[in-house]
Amino acid sequence: MDYIDPHIHMVSRTTDDYRTLAQMGCVAVSEPAFWAGYDRGSVDGFRDYFEQLTGFEPKRAGWYGLQHYTWLCINAKEAEDVALSREVIAMIPEFLGRPGVLGIGEIGLNKNTRNEATVFLEHVDLATRTDELILIHTPHLEDKHQGTRMILDMLTGDSRINRGRVLIDHVEEHTIRPVREAGFWAGMTLYPTSKCTPERACDMVEMYGPDQLMVNSAGDWGPSKPTAVPDFILEMRRRGHEESLIRRVVYENPLEFFGQCERFEFTPR
Amino acid sequence: MPSNRPAPQVLDEEFLIIRAKVLEVAAALDRLDRGAGELAAEPRHAKLRQAIELLLDDQPGRAERLQLLFSREYEPDWRAAMGVGREDGE
């Protein structure tokens, strides 16, 4: 089955992973800007990273027929440096017009601090002023519930936000309901030890339905599995779900959400 | 969008998987018991006991309730407490 991985950090993966994704049926990936594993020291470090995301990665993906899209931001882990964050946010518009850039992301919270919230709001302000889609990271483990609720407070408190143009990622059993009830898109991330398993993602599709719901691998430099979406597809099939339902979650929903960006030019195979 | 599998079928297909997971929890608790020192004052140990008790009740939404058990508390007035911007885009 053709599928799209709407959240995967391919700069951290090998070219062989692109090949494997293509062999598994992946036809497109969307890559949010991410933490490199260390804090970058200057705005030029981000400028170089954005060059990689918008230049080399689409080329590398194209070697195997994959379409590559990306999102730009300074991530929550580096948002404690508010001055640097403001320099990066001011620089982002240099890249917003490039082909394949879908919007602002993955912004969000990590430890739910004041500085993180301040930088999150400034990213949201940029996205609303430039009419960009927004992709949001929610915190890990014990911080997820509190952080997700804080993010919802900030988004629902801003009347400029079109909720159908915002994807809130890494939802789990305790956060999917408020995200969906508020009218936002939700993403389930399949990770080996934290976040969500393919089995629990299937449970949530069964409990909440497929509307405005996606599934991703978030494959990155840590323990993660870039082919986790096919694991989800297999589990859905094992349970006897129809191909049309599976295709809706792993292919049609990402197309519908990304299709709201005028720079999203997708060619079906 | 309910599961289209009858409960007996789910049990047939998942009994060994669930059995294996329960066994992993049992073995992990035994491992804790064999370790030197006391865990009585360790809040994470108490949380694990609470979590295991939660699994045995007959109420739905165990996964959601387990997640909330392991979550920090949400404070609705966090914006005022942190002094983070006014609502409506400010």
Side-chain angles (χ1 to χ4, degrees):
Chain A
M1 174 181 290
D2 285 359
Y3 77 91
I4 294 169
D5 194 331
H7 186 145
I8 184 167
H9 300 288
M10 292 306 298
V11 301
S12 305
R13 311 301 311 193
T14 64
T15 298
D16 286 345
D17 285 340
Y18 273 119
R19 181 188 186 93
T20 303
L21 289 175
Q23 287 171 330
M24 299 291 275
C26 186
V27 293
V29 293
S30 133
E31 175 158 13
F34 186 48
W35 188 53
Y38 62 94
D39 291 350
R40 282 158 281 215
S42 71
V43 68
D44 284 336
F46 283 88
R47 186 177 277 109
D48 289 344
Y49 178 42
F50 295 165
E51 287 285 352
Q52 182 182 15
L53 287 174
T54 57
F56 184 58
E57 284 309 315
K59 183 186 296 182
R60 202 160 69 113
W63 293 342
Y64 299 99
L66 284 162
Q67 295 167 71
H68 181 281
Y69 304 93
T70 195
W71 305 75
L72 306 174
C73 75
I74 177 169
N75 66 87
K77 272 182 174 283
E78 286 164 293
E80 282 304 322
D81 187 339
V82 175
L84 174 60
S85 298
R86 286 178 171 149
E87 286 185 71
V88 174
I89 291 169
M91 180 268 289
I92 286 172
E94 293 176 26
F95 291 86
L96 283 178
R98 292 201 177 183
V101 175
L102 296 180
I104 303 300
E106 60 181 300
I107 59 173
L109 301 176
N110 180 48
K111 290 296 178 187
N112 307 334
T113 67
R114 182 182 193 278
N115 285 349
E116 290 171 10
T118 297
V119 171
F120 175 84
L121 286 169
E122 294 186 16
H123 274 113
V124 168
D125 182 64
L126 170 64
T128 54
R129 285 188 286 107
T130 53
D131 197 28
E132 296 291 341
L133 298 178
I134 301 175
L135 193 162
I136 294 176
H137 162 94
T138 52
H140 307 274
L141 301 171
E142 69 270 22
D143 296 310
K144 183 180 292 294
H145 180 250
Q146 180 191 51
T148 303
R149 296 297 298 267
M150 289 170 65
I151 287 166
L152 289 174
D153 287 345
M154 289 187 275
L155 293 173
T156 57
D158 188 336
S159 60
R160 300 171 301 171
I161 298 285
N162 177 343
R163 299 180 189 186
R165 290 171 55 83
V166 179
L167 167 59
I168 299 181
D169 232 323
H170 317 318
V171 299
E172 294 181 49
E173 290 88 347
H174 55 324
T175 56
I176 185 172
R177 190 199 315 269
V179 167
R180 293 275 299 274
E181 285 180 352
F184 298 100
W185 284 76
M188 299 181 289
T189 295
L190 308 173
Y191 255 21
T193 53
S194 63
K195 298 190 173 71
C196 196
T197 61
E199 292 80 6
R200 287 167 46 217
C202 293
D203 292 335
M204 284 187 268
V205 172
E206 291 173 351
M207 288 189 286
Y208 296 99
D211 292 348
Q212 298 200 170
L213 189 60
M214 300 185 215
V215 62
N216 65 71
S217 73
D220 53 41
W221 48 260
S224 53
K225 187 177 182 187
T227 54
V229 176
D231 292 343
F232 167 84
I233 293 170
L234 190 63
E235 175 64 15
M236 288 287 282
R237 283 183 179 144
R238 189 184 74 80
R239 297 187 188 190
H241 288 296
E242 293 183 357
E243 293 291 295
S244 59
L245 171 63
I246 304 170
R247 181 179 166 88
R248 169 115 185 254
V249 176
V250 303
Y251 185 80
E252 292 166 0
N253 280 353
L255 287 183
E256 182 183 342
F257 181 72
F258 297 160
Q260 297 177 90
C261 173
E262 62 185 17
R263 292 179 300 273
F264 182 65
E265 294 180 1
F266 178 75
T267 307
R269 93 171 149 174
Chain B
M1 192 62 54
S3 167
N4 50 10
R5 296 180 297 167
Q9 182 186 341
V10 176
L11 187 61
D12 283 347
E13 292 175 0
E14 308 216 356
F15 176 77
L16 285 177
I17 296 169
I18 298 168
R19 175 186 181 277
K21 289 177 178 173
V22 172
L23 197 54
E24 282 297 323
V25 172
L29 293 177
D30 288 344
R31 215 171 295 138
L32 288 175
D33 287 346
R34 290 198 306 276
E38 281 293 317
L39 293 172
E42 169 57 68
R44 289 174 300 174
H45 189 243
K47 274 271 199 263
L48 288 173
R49 295 191 67 88
Q50 277 182 272
I52 291 163
E53 287 166 8
L54 185 152
L55 299 181
L56 291 174
D57 73 29
D58 290 328
Q59 301 304 307
R62 291 181 189 82
E64 181 179 358
R65 289 186 286 127
L66 203 64
Q67 291 273 24
L68 290 171
L69 177 69
F70 286 115
S71 296
R72 291 190 205 285
E73 192 173 348
Y74 162 66
E75 301 281 353
D77 62 347
W78 68 270
R79 283 186 91 147
M82 285 188 187
V84 173
R86 290 183 291 112
E87 293 190 357
D88 243 355
E90 296 298 321

